[in-house]
Amino acid sequence: MNNQFWFSLSLSCVLGAMVAPGLAQWKAAVYQTAEKSAQRLTRVAEVPLTAGAPLTEKLDYVFVDPARTFQTVVGFGGALTDAAAETYYKLPAATRRELIRAYYDPKDGIGYTLGRTQINSCDFSSDSYTYVKEGDAALATFDVAHDRRYRIPLIKEAIAAAGGHLTLFASPWSAPAWMKTNGDMLHGGFLKPEYRDAWARYFVAFIRAYEKEGIPIWGVTVQNEPMAIQTWESLQFTAEEERDFVRDHLGPTLEKNGLGGIKLMVWDHNRTFMVQRASVILGDPAAAKYIWGIGFHWYTDPAYDHVAKVHEAFPQAHLLFTEGCTYPFDWAKIHDWSWGETYGTAILNDLNHGAEGWTDWNILLDQTGGPNHVGNFCYAPVHADTRTGELTYMNSFYYLGHFSKFIRPGAKRLLCSATKDVLLATAFMNPDGSIAVVVMNATDAAMPYQLRLGPNAAALESPAHSIM
């Protein structure tokens, strides 16, 4: 399915209440994505907000209090990996333009503002590689020539489509094999103590190299999934080792090289262990002073409350979802509605528990769920058939768009609650004063409710299996 119709939509705000003193000026523009319909981020109504009647338990409500604000949004986006870039440049030019506009154009697309990329290779690369020659601890041979073929050009196109700025962070999957205890970029292994300083300088070299390519790096994570021993590129850090590496090597090295403003994130792994990891690392003031925040993934138990627990224990730490995807890949199931609802459920819960942004995994994969050099195939919100040049948009693309398009960088989360547990809801005040309210219904029944914004109300209905 090639969703060319998408670009004919005139989109502005999910539930945009224009903040103005006159009650008659309040209105909600309603956009909807619903199963068993053609609605995909479709504007379905404009509803006035009028003086609300007295509350009654016979009705269901979504309440929004603009006077109560919480965290500020960094952005929403996805990962610009080797796999995404290689797939992208196998497509016809017109199809590439469609894709980049669909993701990054704030008016005609879903307005991604956040991105992730990798340092060295990862599983979603066609092969394993590093940027230096064997044994070069001085990093004299450091060169990102590999990335100039596909990945760097893709990132530049994304930056241009996003209006000239993309908040981009980078993560390593593995140090070079010769820096590791197992002598292999794959299958885990630890960083040898004698290479801790060289590995810290590697981050600096990467940031500087990308700057020279015209790509500013906003932040880095210390290590992708540091507890995992994977069949692909992986490097292990205990909590204590990650703390010590940040405190004694990476933090001081970034600062010494004039990169103290780089947002340094630890953990970058599943929610389930993030409380323990935060306690060990952020509990050390000498390490914590270098750390901007905690990155986290979703691949085991949901553990949404762990996001809130870290925020409660360490309110100075920023919280960013750094990776998530659905898998295993099966083309026959590409249009299952559950994929979008998985995203919607996670994003709503993460935001309501204190996350400041949300980063999907690959923005684009091919018809096999790759390329991937270890067979670890998965879904992306958009798949390209590189044989025909056709794009397939999964419903997860539209679910993501209900957040990325309407909740903009700098938005502040508002107090929001629903009287029905099955209505998942969140609300944000954008820098321009508009309010975005996202409501999701994953049940088989439509749910009528009243949106209550202070004393004002609008009668709405959330269709079965929808996000609005």
Side-chain angles (χ1 to χ4, degrees):
M1 181 178 67
N2 191 307
N3 295 47
Q4 294 284 358
F5 73 88
W6 159 251
F7 299 108
S8 67
L9 299 178
S10 174
L11 301 175
S12 57
C13 185
V14 176
L15 286 168
M18 301 312 295
V19 180
L23 183 63
Q25 295 177 328
W26 290 74
K27 58 186 177 181
V30 184
Y31 293 83
Q32 218 158 255
T33 295
E35 189 184 25
K36 298 178 181 177
S37 79
Q39 295 171 354
R40 299 293 182 270
L41 271 168
T42 304
R43 182 166 177 153
V44 295
E46 187 171 285
V47 182
L49 277 82
T50 57
L55 301 179
T56 170
E57 289 188 329
K58 294 180 180 180
L59 297 177
D60 290 306
Y61 299 89
V62 171
F63 295 104
V64 178
D65 183 354
R68 311 291 177 184
T69 63
F70 303 96
Q71 78 269 22
T72 301
V73 168
V74 172
F76 298 87
L80 297 139
T81 59
D82 286 331
E86 290 168 27
T87 302
Y88 182 77
Y89 285 108
K90 291 176 182 176
L91 299 175
T95 307
R96 296 200 302 267
R97 287 193 297 271
E98 175 190 332
L99 181 92
I100 211 76
R101 183 171 58 167
Y103 269 120
Y104 295 99
D105 190 298
K107 182 176 181 293
D108 294 327
I110 62 172
Y112 268 10
T113 57
L114 181 64
R116 185 192 195 201
T117 197
Q118 85 252 14
I119 300 172
N120 293 329
S121 58
C122 68
D123 47 332
F124 280 87
S125 302
S126 292
D127 59 349
S128 292
Y129 64 87
T130 71
Y131 302 123
V132 295
K133 292 183 178 179
E134 179 84 14
D136 179 18
L139 311 185
T141 59
F142 192 97
D143 191 348
V144 295
H146 175 281
D147 301 356
R148 292 191 190 104
R149 185 176 183 188
Y150 298 121
R151 187 150 48 103
I152 285 172
L154 172 60
I155 293 171
K156 287 182 175 180
E157 288 197 44
I159 292 171
H165 174 76
L166 186 68
T167 300
L168 185 69
F169 65 96
S171 306
W173 267 242
S174 177
W178 49 270
M179 288 189 182
K180 297 172 62 181
T181 55
N182 66 344
D184 184 0
M185 284 192 72
L186 318 184
H187 310 109
F190 292 85
L191 187 66
K192 291 180 179 179
E194 62 266 32
Y195 291 121
R196 289 171 185 163
D197 180 63
W199 185 230
R201 288 185 285 106
Y202 206 101
F203 283 76
V204 173
F206 177 84
I207 294 166
R208 293 295 190 215
Y210 265 59
E211 284 179 346
K212 287 180 181 177
E213 299 292 334
I215 300 173
I217 299 296
W218 169 83
V220 294
T221 69
V222 175
Q223 171 60 39
N224 178 72
E225 299 183 349
M227 279 188 73
I229 303 172
Q230 305 285 24
T231 57
W232 54 86
E233 288 84 343
S234 43
L235 176 65
Q236 297 164 263
F237 282 91
T238 66
E240 292 77 13
E241 286 170 333
E242 188 173 15
R243 175 198 64 199
D244 295 351
F245 179 64
V246 168
R247 183 192 62 208
D248 303 333
H249 300 278
L250 185 55
T253 298
L254 289 172
E255 202 166 75
K256 182 174 66 177
N257 285 274
L259 297 174
I262 293 291
K263 306 298 189 289
L264 180 57
M265 289 171 274
V266 296
W267 188 222
D268 200 10
H269 205 164
N270 295 319
R271 298 185 196 97
T272 45
F273 279 83
M274 66 186 292
V275 176
Q276 184 271 344
R277 187 69 55 140
S279 293
V280 171
I281 299 176
L282 298 180
D284 183 339
K289 71 178 183 179
Y290 295 113
I291 295 165
W292 179 82
I294 305 284
F296 60 95
H297 301 179
W298 73 2
Y299 296 112
T300 50
D301 288 352
Y304 298 121
D305 63 320
H306 289 202
V307 181
K309 286 175 181 177
V310 172
H311 180 65
E312 290 167 3
F314 303 98
Q316 78 281 9
H318 303 268
L319 299 168
L320 188 70
F321 185 89
T322 48
E323 184 189 314
C325 71
T326 49
Y327 62 93
F329 182 78
D330 180 354
W331 186 267
K333 297 180 179 179
I334 199 163
H335 292 304
D336 281 10
W337 202 256
S338 63
W339 303 132
E341 291 183 340
T342 297
Y343 275 84
T345 300
I347 299 170
L348 282 157
N349 277 286
D350 285 335
L351 293 175
N352 286 338
H353 286 83
E356 298 177 18
W358 216 89
T359 324
D360 185 33
W361 189 208
N362 303 278
I363 64 164
L364 176 70
L365 292 173
D366 67 17
Q367 67 275 6
T368 71
N372 182 301
H373 71 92
V374 289
N376 180 34
F377 302 119
C378 70
Y379 291 104
V382 184
H383 283 267
D385 188 325
T386 56
R387 301 162 300 186
T388 65
E390 184 179 29
L391 296 178
T392 297
Y393 292 76
M394 293 181 66
N395 55 63
S396 52
F397 172 86
Y398 302 102
Y399 271 72
L400 281 157
H402 277 278
F403 300 92
S404 62
K405 185 170 185 66
F406 305 117
I407 303 170
R408 305 303 293 169
K412 287 188 176 295
R413 184 168 66 88
L414 305 178
L415 184 61
C416 178
S417 65
T419 56
K420 200 84 155 181
D421 283 349
V422 295
L423 287 179
L424 296 180
T426 195
F428 285 79
M429 173 82 77
N430 283 306
D432 66 0
S434 64
I435 293 173
V437 182
V438 184
V439 178
M440 180 179 133
N441 173 12
T443 75
D444 294 334
M447 298 281 178
Y449 69 94
Q450 274 198 10
L451 173 68
R452 296 291 292 242
L453 188 64
N456 307 326
L460 299 168
E461 182 175 86
S462 176
H465 295 288
S466 72
I467 187 167
M468 63 190 300

